[in-house]
Amino acid sequence: MGLHIAGPMHDRFGEILSAEALEFLEGLHRTFDQRRRDLLAARSHQTFKFSGGTQQAAPQDWKVAPAPPDLLDRRVEITGPTDAKMAINALNSGAKVWLADHEDATTPLWENVIGGQLNLRDALDGTLSYTSAEGKQYALHDGPRPAIVFRPRGWHLTEKHLLCDGERLSGSLTDFGLYFVHCAKRLLRNGSGPYFYLPKLESHLEARLWNDVFTYAQQQLGIPHGTIRATVLIETIPAAFQMDDILFELREHASGLNAGRWDYIFSIIKKIGLLLPDRVSVTMTVPYMRAYTQLLVRTCHRRGAHAIGGMAAFIPSRRDPSINEAAQALVREDKTREAGDGFDGSWVAHPDLVPVCRDIFDGVLGERPHQIDVPLPAIDITEEDLLAVDKGPSQRTEVGLRNAISVGIQYLASWLKGIGAVAIFNLMEDAATAEISRSQVWQWLQHSAVLDDTGAVVTTELIDRIADEEIAKLDGDYTEARALFMEVAATPDFVEFLTLPAYERMP
């Protein structure tokens, strides 16, 4: 009975898995885990309607808590995993915020879960360094660094290496708890604070659970209430209908909302069921995506919160300048649209894109830290606008199918090795983009979609053949990744998250 460590204790792991940390995790588990399980079970009963039912006793003009000084200006945020090299590059990047990601960009390999926490603590202490296999040395620069906003795993994931009374701990509570215990007071001493990105929420009740976790955690460590700040990723379509209520539940700890575009597309495929076109065709300008982002900006600014745009996934090529020129033009177009629509900042996945994003937002913001107070044209976004998936492009091609299969298999091969963010075809792929690929294949298969360019019907046999042909172009062994991809993309029952069966294959 009690808390048990089921994973190996590698060098320095005891610094993170301390008696204080384990006691804190056990308290989180016993206090909140049953609510987490109940809320996950309730996801199957969702409706796509604006709720507006949680604020009856509140004044109509309520606002979220004012942003702390180092979260006032968020014009460019860099996102990436917490390995030592990425942490150093992100903190040296010149971005305003580093999204230190223990979710989509980090696989929950035990070494990553605990090693990432060590890297974060070392970074705050100024002792983090890294030497590559080639002998290249990485160290933190002097001078201003981005504010760190830590993203724990979603509510649906568990941590099999930490057990309480024989039950796995929540991955969310594990990541949050370890970071909070070891870094909250360090951050405060450094003039910052414990800031979080909250992923995969599907209702305001899930936001209420996080708010209660924050209140409990601050009380346990003697930190003033409201010190924590949270930015919620609106990356599921149920959450898009509850943005205002989500901010209300977190209002004493809320910092903003983010347009988590990749998972949002995945959620549309999963929740609505209408056939989507090739992944590259689902841009932010199609009607239902545009409605979602316009609603997000207006909801945030009405409540005094930051609206943060989506990730530019392009990875610069060191060999082909023409690829960079074309891709950077698309990034500039995307960030120009976001800044013009009222977003206060946006994400990039590579340090080379920090100045690109910064220049565009500088041109709109100037010396202002954000544009929360800038009036926007009144737009009436309806429930029908968010659900109008059939009003986008409809093209489905073999080229798109091949890309989805190849990306899905290549990504899963990396994921199973412990690498959660990987460059494929000059794009940074993470769990969110891989989910689009495999769910799209699954959807086309279930609907026997006809490909526009070849006239072929998508069948299991066609997916099998293309998988073999795409793997033949690659080096290495993709046997396990191929089997896993077929399990999550080519079986009748839809697997809720590909990371669930993938995690069971991980040591």
Side-chain angles (χ1 to χ4, degrees), residues 110-378:
W110 180 236
E111 289 77 4
N112 292 344
V113 170
I114 307 303
Q117 298 283 353
L118 278 166
N119 292 334
L120 288 162
R121 196 186 68 169
D122 288 351
L124 293 174
D125 290 342
T127 61
L128 184 63
S129 62
Y130 173 74
T131 302
S132 70
E134 298 76 27
K136 184 176 180 180
Q137 295 183 333
Y138 296 79
L140 295 171
H141 296 166
D142 294 330
R145 294 175 187 159
I148 298 174
V149 182
F150 178 71
R151 177 161 68 164
R153 281 169 280 181
W155 283 130
H156 60 288
L157 294 169
T158 59
E159 177 48 65
K160 63 184 175 184
H161 300 98
L162 290 170
L163 307 176
C164 187
D165 303 340
E167 293 183 339
R168 292 181 180 182
L169 265 62
S170 155
S172 301
L173 296 179
T174 296
D175 294 343
F176 165 81
L178 293 176
Y179 182 70
F180 193 75
V181 163
H182 292 292
C183 295
K185 292 181 179 179
R186 282 180 166 85
L187 287 158
L188 291 170
R189 287 196 296 268
N190 291 351
S192 186
Y195 309 144
F196 297 91
Y197 259 112
L198 304 181
K200 306 289 191 294
L201 268 64
E202 297 198 10
S203 76
H204 69 278
L205 295 178
E206 295 179 23
R208 182 183 298 174
L209 175 56
W210 268 120
N211 195 69
D212 291 346
V213 169
F214 296 159
T215 298
Y216 171 93
Q218 290 164 142
Q219 290 173 345
Q220 292 297 308
L221 266 67
I223 290 174
H225 183 81
T227 300
I228 290 173
R229 287 292 190 274
T231 304
V232 177
L233 292 115
I234 302 299
E235 53 186 353
T236 69
I237 194 162
F241 287 88
Q242 300 188 41
M243 294 186 207
D244 205 47
D245 293 326
I246 285 170
L247 282 177
F248 180 76
E249 296 292 348
L250 287 160
R251 62 196 178 280
E252 296 175 333
H253 298 107
S255 183
L257 302 177
N258 171 275
R261 62 176 67 173
W262 303 113
D263 264 307
Y264 191 76
I265 296 169
F266 164 53
S267 180
I268 286 173
I269 296 172
K270 179 167 60 172
K271 298 288 187 179
I272 296 180
L274 291 173
L275 279 172
L276 260 64
D278 293 353
R279 190 179 89 168
V280 296
S281 300
V282 186
T283 68
M284 300 308 293
T285 60
V286 299
Y288 53 93
M289 297 298 288
R290 186 135 180 81
Y292 143 71
T293 55
Q294 289 178 318
L295 179 61
L296 187 148
V297 172
R298 283 157 178 78
T299 302
C300 285
H301 289 185
R302 185 170 69 253
R303 302 308 183 186
H306 285 75
I308 308 299
M311 183 178 72
F314 168 64
I315 299 299
S317 170
R318 302 303 185 196
R319 296 186 297 271
D320 191 341
S322 65
I323 291 177
N324 292 347
E325 184 177 349
Q328 287 202 13
L330 293 175
V331 172
R332 287 185 176 278
E333 180 183 346
D334 183 50
K335 301 309 173 191
T336 299
R337 175 191 51 77
E338 288 182 329
D341 280 352
F343 280 95
D344 304 294
S346 193
W347 282 8
V348 298
H350 193 279
D352 287 359
L353 293 179
V354 168
V356 176
C357 183
R358 183 177 56 229
D359 288 349
I360 290 165
F361 276 89
D362 283 351
V364 173
L365 296 178
E367 298 299 317
R368 291 175 294 133
H370 52 70
Q371 48 186 340
I372 292 174
D373 298 325
V374 176
L376 290 170

Side-chain angles (χ1 to χ4, degrees), residues 76-78 90-98 145-147 348 354 358:
V76 55
E77 303 190 358
I78 188 168
L91 291 169
N92 291 341
S93 68
K96 292 292 186 179
V97 167
W98 170 37
R145 294 175 187 159
V348 298
V354 168
R358 183 177 56 229

